[in-house]
Amino acid sequence: MRLIRLLKYDLARETGDWVDDGVISEAQAELICARYEVDYHRAQRRSLGYNVLVGLGYLFIALALITLIGANWEEIPRALRMGGLVALTVGTQCAALRVYLKGDPRAGEGLFLLGSFFFGASIILIAQIYHLGEHMPDGIFWWALGCLPFALITRSPWLALQSGALALLWFILQVSMGYYPMLFPLFIAASLYVLLRGRTSVTLLLLLLVSIGFWVEYSLLQFWRIQQPDAGLEFQPENLAVAISLFAMLYLFGHWLALKNTPVAKDYAAVISVWCLRFALISLLVFSFAQPWESLIKAEWDHRLSMWVVVTALAAVTLFLALTTRRLLSTGILFLCFAAALITVSTSENQDLAVNLQVATNFALVGVGGWLIYRGIHDGISHYFFLGVMSILITGLLRYIDLIGDYLGAALIFILFAGLLLGAAKYWKYHQDRGDTP
C-alpha cells in the first residue's frame, strides 16, 4: 500500500498550484486526484487551518466564560449559579441543533463542541456547589456520556473524539484506582459507529485502536484478579505477549483492509500498517538489550494457561488474515519464532539465555532493516527505505555503545551491517542502470 495515500489531500492542493503555473491542465489534475480517490475541486476548498482556528476560537470562548464565572463564583447566589449553568449548557446545545438542522453541519458541530465544554464545566461547578467530589472519575464519565448522543446524531468525528478521549481518561483513572470500568465498551462501539458511518478521521481511528487495546489488556487483568483476588490491576508479563499478538493481528488486518476497493479502507490500511511497523521496530530496539529479557525470565508467570488461550486465538485470526492476503508462510515463521521466545522466557530460569535472546533480536533487527530497504527500492516507497536504513544505523550505534557478548560478536554484527548496506547499494545501482530507480 502506498504511503502517499496519507498525503493525498496535500497532493490534491499541490496539483492546484501546478494548474495555476501552467505545468498541467485542470483535466490532468483531476485525473491525478482521481487516481487517489480525491475530488480535485473539493480539495481546493478544503481548509484544515480554518477548521482548527474556528475550533480553537470556540474553545477560548468556553475558557473565557468559565474563567469569568469562576472569578465571581462565591458572589453569585446558589440558585442563580445552578440555573445559569443549566441554561448556558442547554441554550448552547439548542442553538447548535438549530444551526445543524438549518443546513450548516460544520458550524453546528462547532457549537455542539462548545456546548459539551459547557456541560463539562457545569458538572465540575455543580459538584463544587453541592460538595460531590467523593469519586472524581464519575464526573468525567458523565461528561463523556453527555457528549455521546450528539456524536451519534451528527456522526461527527470531532464530537466522537471528544467523547472517546474523555472516556479513555475516565478508563485510565478508574483502573489506576483499582476499579474496572464496565461501560467502556459503549464508547468503543460509538466511536466505531462514527468511524464507519461518518467522515474519514485518522485521529479517531488511532484513538479507537488505543481504546480497544487498553480494554482488552485490562479485561484480562480483571479476569486474572477474579482468579487471584490479592492481585491488583497492574500489568503482568503475560500482557506483553497479548499486546504483541494484538499488533500482529492488527498489521495483517491492515493488509486485508488494503484489498478493499473503497478509498477509506485503503487510507485506514495505510495508517494501520505504518503505526504497526513503527511499533515493531521500537519493540525490537528495546529488546536488543539483555535487561528486558532478564526481567521477563525473572518475572512471575502466574497465568500461562489463559495467556496461551488468548495468544492462540489471536494467532488463529492472524493466520486466517495472512491466508487471505497471501502472507501465510512469512506470518507462520514469525509466529513460530515468537512462540519459541515466549516459551523460553516463561518457563526457563536460566539468566544466561538473555544474551542469546538479545543476539537473536539484533539479527531480527538486521533482517527487518534489510527487508525494509528492499521494499523501499523495489516498490519505490521512500519511507520504507529510509526507515530500514535508520533502523540499521540505530542498531549499529546501540551495539557500539553496548557490545553484545564480546568484541568478536560485535565485530560480526558490524560486518553484517556493512554487507547489508553495500548489497542494498548494489541492488539500487542495478535498478538505476535499468532506469526504474525510485
Side-chain angles (χ1 to χ4, degrees):
M1 62 197 74
R2 292 279 183 174
L3 300 182
I4 197 173
R5 301 197 65 86
L6 303 181
L7 305 172
K8 63 182 183 179
Y9 290 106
D10 296 309
L11 175 65
R13 285 191 290 272
E14 187 70 19
T15 56
D17 295 335
W18 298 344
V19 172
D20 294 338
D21 295 338
V23 178
I24 60 175
S25 66
E26 187 171 339
Q28 290 172 319
E30 292 173 352
L31 288 174
I32 292 172
C33 293
R35 180 179 178 84
Y36 296 98
E37 294 92 10
V38 179
D39 188 321
Y40 168 74
H41 299 284
R42 182 178 297 176
Q44 304 311 308
R45 299 191 298 269
R46 180 187 174 98
S47 178
L48 177 62
Y50 171 79
N51 293 330
V52 170
L53 290 174
V54 170
L56 290 176
Y58 282 131
L59 173 62
F60 280 107
I61 290 173
L63 292 175
L65 287 173
I66 292 169
T67 303
L68 185 62
I69 293 172
N72 303 280
W73 189 246
E74 296 299 331
E75 288 75 20
I76 303 174
R78 177 177 292 188
L80 184 59
R81 281 185 276 177
M82 183 72 176
L85 290 172
V86 173
L88 180 63
T89 303
V90 174
T92 305
Q93 298 292 32
C94 289
L97 186 61
R98 182 170 177 270
V99 171
Y100 184 84
L101 294 176
K102 277 194 170 184
D104 193 354
R106 296 300 177 89
E109 289 174 18
L111 286 173
F112 277 128
L113 281 171
L114 182 62
S116 297
F117 279 116
F118 288 154
F119 178 65
S122 299
I123 291 175
I124 296 170
L125 294 174
I126 290 172
Q128 182 180 346
I129 293 173
Y130 295 101
H131 308 288
L132 303 175
E134 293 183 1
H135 190 66
M136 189 264 291
D138 286 345
I140 300 176
F141 167 76
W142 289 111
W143 187 1
L145 192 64
C147 300
L148 194 59
F150 302 105
L152 295 175
I153 291 170
T154 61
R155 291 180 290 187
S156 166
W158 289 104
L159 294 171
L161 270 170
Q162 185 185 41
S163 177
L166 289 169
L168 185 59
L169 176 61
W170 165 69
F171 181 91
I172 293 172
L173 289 174
Q174 283 285 82
V175 298
S176 67
M177 295 179 179
Y179 299 98
Y180 178 73
M182 298 290 294
L183 292 178
F184 190 63
L186 172 66
F187 297 96
I188 292 178
S191 297
L192 181 61
Y193 171 77
V194 174
L195 200 65
L196 294 175
R197 302 296 299 273
R199 299 189 306 273
T200 305
S201 175
V202 171
T203 310
L204 182 59
L205 171 67
L206 294 176
L207 178 66
L208 175 63
L209 295 178
V210 170
S211 300
I212 292 173
F214 272 101
W215 177 65
V216 170
E217 294 284 20
Y218 276 105
S219 295
L220 280 173
L221 286 175
Q222 177 67 10
F223 173 72
W224 293 333
R225 187 168 69 168
I226 293 173
Q227 293 182 321
Q228 197 174 2
D230 57 333
L233 284 175
E234 293 82 18
F235 276 109
Q236 304 294 320
E238 291 89 350
N239 285 112
L240 178 62
V242 174
I244 294 173
S245 303
L246 279 172
F247 268 94
M249 183 184 70
L250 185 61
Y251 183 72
L252 268 297
F253 174 73
H255 282 279
W256 175 81
L257 208 58
L259 299 178
K260 304 300 178 182
N261 293 324
T262 61
V264 175
K266 293 183 182 296
D267 294 344
Y268 289 162
V271 173
I272 291 172
S273 175
V274 167
W275 283 101
C276 286
L277 191 58
R278 291 169 181 171
F279 168 81
L281 285 175
I282 292 173
S283 300
L284 287 173
L285 286 171
V286 170
F287 282 95
S288 66
F289 293 90
Q291 290 83 355
W293 292 111
E294 291 173 357
S295 299
L296 288 176
I297 293 173
K298 291 178 183 176
E300 298 289 337
W301 296 79
D302 298 324
H303 315 285
R304 291 191 188 94
L305 178 59
S306 53
M307 176 198 71
W308 278 110
V309 170
V310 175
V311 168
T312 303
L314 293 173
V317 177
T318 305
L319 291 173
F320 173 76
L321 293 172
L323 179 63
T324 59
T325 56
R326 299 181 181 179
R327 287 174 171 80
L328 185 59
L329 179 61
S330 58
T331 305
I333 293 173
L334 289 175
F335 259 114
L336 287 176
C337 295
F338 168 64
L342 184 57
I343 292 171
T344 301
V345 297
S346 62
T347 59
S348 176
E349 297 181 357
N350 185 3
Q351 296 292 316
D352 296 333
L353 291 175
V355 175
N356 297 331
L357 291 168
Q358 180 192 11
V359 172
T361 305
N362 279 272
F363 278 110
L365 263 173
V366 175
V368 171
W371 174 78
L372 287 171
I373 292 173
Y374 166 77
R375 284 286 308 275
I377 296 174
H378 186 269
D379 298 338
I381 305 176
S382 59
H383 177 79
Y384 282 179
F385 174 79
F386 289 109
L387 195 60
V389 171
M390 188 61 64
S391 65
I392 290 178
L393 290 178
I394 293 176
T395 305
L397 177 63
L398 294 177
R399 296 292 67 79
Y400 183 77
I401 298 172
D402 178 48
L403 296 177
I404 301 175
D406 53 20
Y407 290 96
L408 182 61
L412 180 62
I413 288 285
F414 294 149
I415 290 294
L416 183 60
F417 289 165
L420 182 61
L421 293 174
L422 292 174
K426 186 175 181 180
Y427 186 70
W428 183 295
K429 190 173 186 307
Y430 167 74
H431 277 270
Q432 188 178 46
D433 293 339
R434 290 180 53 186
D436 56 357
T437 303

